[in-house]
Amino acid sequence: MDRNRMSLREGKVFLDGEMIMDLVNCEILFTPEVAESRAIGQKGKSRRWIGYDVTGSINEYRSTPWLKDAVKSYIDTGKTPKFTIVGMQDDPASDYGATYGKDVVTVEGVVLTGDIPLLQLDSEGEHVQSEIEFGAANVILK
């Protein structure tokens, strides 16, 4: 059977409403917080979701100073910079896209959690890339 699988190349990511023009990849993960319990005589465990964590990463070619701006804002104000990221996977030529349309995931209260590159130099390097890890307070699925 011939399948038209969804391509990872088709989509867009927006950071506070601005499209990340030189995006290499983006991943948003939902990790459920699971409570386990077992009663006397119960062989297996019961499990249920009691919360969650949303994390992810963005890898981009540097095209704007948004990372330096975030660091500078924190240094100047002492307030944690928070962002909203909207990711859209849009491959209308895929079976999924033809049936369900585009996938849109919005994460709010995004806080950068990993190392933030302020300066990168390398005699063997060609382009400056920034790989950023984040955690988010909320996820909205459409």
Side-chain angles (χ1 to χ4, degrees):
M1 176 185 337
D2 187 26
R3 303 280 306 193
N4 294 311
R5 292 177 175 84
M6 187 177 281
S7 171
L8 288 172
R9 294 181 179 182
E10 303 297 329
K12 300 173 185 73
V13 174
F14 297 85
L15 178 77
D16 284 350
E18 297 291 324
M19 187 165 73
I20 299 177
M21 296 301 295
D22 291 325
L23 182 71
V24 176
N25 59 47
C26 176
E27 184 174 57
I28 299 172
L29 304 170
F30 179 94
T31 305
E33 182 181 349
V34 179
E36 296 180 350
S37 63
R38 181 179 4 220
I40 298 293
Q42 183 180 354
K43 300 290 187 198
K45 291 183 181 180
S46 297
R47 293 174 178 86
R48 71 180 189 122
W49 290 2
I50 60 170
Y52 61 88
D53 192 16
V54 177
T55 59
S57 63
I58 292 174
N59 188 348
E60 65 165 356
Y61 292 111
R62 186 173 300 163
S63 58
T64 67
W66 75 275
L67 290 169
K68 282 186 178 179
D69 292 345
V71 171
K72 184 170 178 6
S73 173
Y74 174 73
I75 290 169
D76 291 347
T77 67
K79 294 181 182 177
T80 300
K82 294 187 179 186
F83 304 93
T84 297
I85 295 174
V86 178
M88 183 182 314
Q89 197 162 24
D90 184 10
D91 184 2
S94 71
D95 295 339
Y96 184 98
T99 303
Y100 303 107
K102 59 186 161 193
D103 265 344
V104 179
V105 175
T106 302
V107 287
E108 301 172 317
V110 172
V111 174
L112 306 179
T113 58
D115 293 335
I116 299 171
L118 298 177
L119 179 68
Q120 294 170 294
L121 299 169
D122 184 345
S123 66
E124 300 296 322
E126 294 183 23
H127 304 291
V128 177
Q129 279 187 343
S130 300
E131 187 167 342
I132 305 302
E133 295 178 2
F134 62 83
N138 190 34
V139 62
I140 300 167
L141 304 172
K142 291 185 182 179

